[in-house]
Amino acid sequence: MKYLKNERGMTLVIVLLTITVFSVLGLAVMGASVNNVKQVKKAETDIQTVDAAEMGVQYYNTLLKDFFHQQIALKKSEIKTLIQNDYVNKVPLTDDKIEEYEKKLGEKLIQAFNSSPLFPAFGTALSKDIDTPTKTYFKIKNLSPSPLCPTCNTTAKETVEQIEFSYESFGHTNQQPEKKLTGKFVFTFSIDKSEIKEKLIPAQNHDYTTLIPKPTNVSPCSSEAFGNGNNGRDVFDTVNCSYNQLISVEKPSEITDSILVFDKGVQFIKQLNKGIEDSTLYITGVPGTTTLFNKQVNGIHNSKILVKGNAQFETVNQGIHNSTIVVVGNAKFGDGQDKLKKLEHSSIYVIGNADMTDIDFTQFSTTAKICVKGTITGDSSLYNYPIYSESYNKVKFDEKCSLGIIQDGDKTIDISDQFMDWAEEIKPIVSYN
């Protein structure tokens, strides 16, 4: 009993020791947990900071790509003008000259960038907040002193030239240590010599009256010049003569194998139901009147018609074939539902304005053309056909409608819109620090 009494209090000691051990372990676990939370939070902050720096790289590169893309489109016209001026001054278009143009382009692009807000003379290129509560933002700093074009000064024939420079993007989050990424921006461009070509041009001559000279050695027409056809209709068949008064042909039937001069104008009141064939009509209109080919003209074939003054062709049912028409004034083709239909192996020249509202363009052949020195009224789609207007596109008009003969030296340079290429997708080279 005495031995047992000596062991009193041992249970309390054991309980106290157990409590102490668990307390120590609990504190250790709590400490480890707190430390882990801090480490996780620090890792998350580091990731957010790096993400902020990466966002800076992506954002800045988008701005750079847009800037250089816009600038090269602007400088394109300047280089094009430079090439054209050199051609006029008889500067040969050699490979070395292409390299020189590319170098000049590189200099212009670098100069434009150096004076832009994207490349400040001092300090930060740009800074942008990402998340205000966590104070997350990025800054672009420490750009290269100036972009370089390392290939522009080489004598080797490069496939492409390139402009390059480096910069740094700093990410910030919750006043933690910043993270820095270094980016390298590369922009490539080139001039394609094969898209710059020399071509012949005709000497400029738009005196279309020379196409149909006034007939000579024709006798005055008598009233008997009107032959009687079927049903009392008027027929010009193998008639060569000249009228000196305004003529109204009341019931025209046909004009065949004839040379007719109308010095005071003519109007065909009703339809020429057999058309005009193998004939020449030289018409000098009276001021204030219009030479009128009324209603249906059933075809104009192998003929020449010159009208000095205004003219209207209301309807040509069977079309115009192998013929030339010159109007030294304004012209109207068609009248409402009546249309000029079919034009092939023929040319129409109008020195004034032309109303083409009522033309059936679907039947126009590529062997035909209409040249108008003035303006054209009609659907905008008419320029999809062989129709040329000096007021719409003078270069095309001169090319297609000049009567001049090409001489030695009548050349120009043709620079297509595809003569310059550049990289539109730019992938930065990024290194993490």
Side-chain angles (χ1 to χ4, degrees):
M1 295 294 292
K2 185 177 180 179
Y3 175 77
L4 291 175
K5 289 180 180 180
N6 289 336
E7 290 182 356
R8 289 177 179 177
M10 290 299 293
T11 300
L12 178 61
V13 172
I14 293 171
V15 170
L16 291 175
L17 287 174
T18 301
I19 292 172
T20 301
V21 170
F22 277 103
S23 296
V24 171
L25 290 175
L27 290 173
V29 170
M30 290 178 62
S33 297
V34 171
N35 187 56
N36 286 339
V37 169
K38 290 181 178 179
Q39 291 294 329
V40 170
K41 188 172 183 179
K42 182 179 183 304
E44 289 177 349
T45 302
D46 288 343
I47 291 172
Q48 289 176 355
T49 308
V50 172
D51 286 345
E54 288 182 339
M55 290 181 65
V57 170
Q58 294 171 3
Y59 183 79
Y60 192 50
N61 271 285
T62 298
L63 295 180
L64 292 173
K65 184 176 73 172
D66 291 344
F67 175 83
F68 277 91
H69 189 277
Q70 293 169 0
Q71 284 299 316
I72 201 168
L74 294 173
K75 306 306 178 187
K76 184 177 180 179
S77 60
E78 296 180 23
I79 298 299
K80 189 173 184 178
T81 300
L82 178 61
I83 296 173
Q84 290 170 330
N85 290 340
D86 282 347
Y87 177 82
V88 171
N89 294 322
K90 302 186 182 305
V91 178
L93 186 66
T94 62
D95 290 339
D96 288 339
K97 198 64 184 177
I98 293 294
E99 287 284 318
E100 184 179 322
Y101 293 140
E102 290 176 337
K103 179 180 179 182
K104 179 70 69 174
L105 175 59
E107 292 172 349
K108 287 178 176 292
L109 293 173
I110 291 173
Q111 182 180 9
F113 180 68
N114 285 346
S115 59
S116 75
L118 295 179
F119 188 84
F122 303 98
T124 302
L126 59 88
S127 176
K128 190 173 184 64
D129 290 333
I130 299 173
D131 183 58
T132 302
T134 60
K135 300 179 181 179
T136 302
Y137 63 94
F138 64 77
K139 287 184 178 181
I140 304 297
K141 300 191 295 184
N142 300 332
L143 280 71
S144 301
S146 175
L148 298 175
C149 182
T151 59
C152 290
N153 295 314
T154 61
T155 56
K157 303 300 183 293
E158 303 288 342
T159 303
V160 295
E161 311 292 353
Q162 64 181 42
I163 294 174
E164 60 184 47
F165 61 92
S166 62
Y167 61 91
E168 293 175 338
S169 174
F170 293 84
H172 299 259
T173 300
N174 280 328
Q175 298 182 345
Q176 296 296 319
E178 62 189 13
K179 296 294 181 180
K180 179 180 71 174
L181 276 65
T182 301
K184 184 177 182 182
F185 179 84
V186 179
F187 183 78
T188 61
F189 61 93
S190 65
I191 294 176
D192 188 350
K193 183 181 177 182
S194 66
E195 297 293 336
I196 306 172
K197 300 176 182 178
E198 189 177 58
K199 69 175 183 179
L200 294 171
I201 57 171
Q204 300 310 306
N205 176 8
H206 301 121
D207 185 9
Y208 301 128
T209 59
T210 60
L211 292 171
I212 308 176
K214 185 174 183 178
T216 58
N217 300 322
V218 291
S219 302
C221 296
S222 64
S223 58
E224 288 75 21
F226 289 83
N228 290 323
N230 295 329
N231 300 318
R233 299 188 72 87
D234 299 314
V235 175
F236 295 87
D237 186 4
T238 319
V239 178
N240 300 328
C241 65
S242 172
Y243 290 96
N244 62 3
Q245 74 268 19
L246 175 63
I247 299 297
S248 295
V249 185
E250 298 291 338
K251 297 180 179 181
S253 176
E254 63 182 289
I255 301 175
T256 306
D257 294 318
S258 297
I259 298 175
L260 296 169
V261 177
F262 299 93
D263 277 329
K264 298 296 183 178
V266 63
Q267 292 186 331
F268 297 94
I269 305 303
K270 293 185 179 179
Q271 59 263 37
L272 270 157
N273 60 2
K274 291 188 179 180
I276 301 171
E277 187 169 350
D278 299 316
S279 297
T280 297
L281 279 66
Y282 193 95
I283 304 166
T284 301
V286 177
T289 65
T290 296
T291 297
L292 181 64
F293 292 85
N294 201 341
K295 300 305 178 184
Q296 289 80 14
V297 177
N298 286 326
I300 299 175
H301 303 267
N302 306 312
S303 297
K304 296 181 179 180
I305 301 174
L306 183 140
V307 179
K308 287 188 175 181
N310 300 333
Q312 179 172 350
F313 297 82
E314 288 195 354
T315 307
V316 183
N317 274 346
Q318 303 301 319
I320 301 174
H321 310 266
N322 303 307
S323 298
T324 301
I325 297 175
V326 176
V327 179
V328 189
N330 300 326
K332 179 175 173 57
F333 300 94
D335 183 24
Q337 296 299 317
D338 298 320
K339 294 181 180 294
L340 170 62
K341 298 178 180 179
K342 203 163 189 177
L343 186 69
E344 63 180 4
H345 297 290
S346 300
S347 298
I348 298 177
Y349 300 92
V350 180
I351 296 179
N353 303 323
D355 185 343
M356 297 187 180
T357 305
D358 300 304
I359 289 186
D360 185 357
F361 292 109
T362 60
Q363 299 187 51
F364 272 37
S365 167
T366 56
T367 61
K369 67 179 176 182
I370 298 179
C371 297
V372 181
K373 282 187 65 66
T375 59
I376 294 178
T377 302
D379 191 275
S380 60
S381 64
L382 60 87
Y383 291 110
N384 296 328
Y385 300 91
I387 298 174
Y388 311 99
S389 169
E390 185 176 53
S391 63
Y392 176 74
N393 187 331
K394 187 177 188 308
V395 173
K396 202 70 174 177
F397 176 83
D398 288 340
E399 177 186 345
K400 298 294 185 179
C401 298
S402 175
L403 305 180
I405 300 174
I406 296 175
Q407 303 289 342
D408 290 341
D410 291 333
K411 298 178 181 179
T412 187
I413 194 166
D414 183 29
I415 305 176
S416 78
D417 288 338
Q418 289 75 40
F419 85 101
M420 190 178 293
D421 299 317
W422 60 90
E424 298 186 6
E425 292 298 328
I426 303 167
K427 298 179 180 180
I429 304 169
V430 180
S431 60
Y432 293 83
N433 296 302

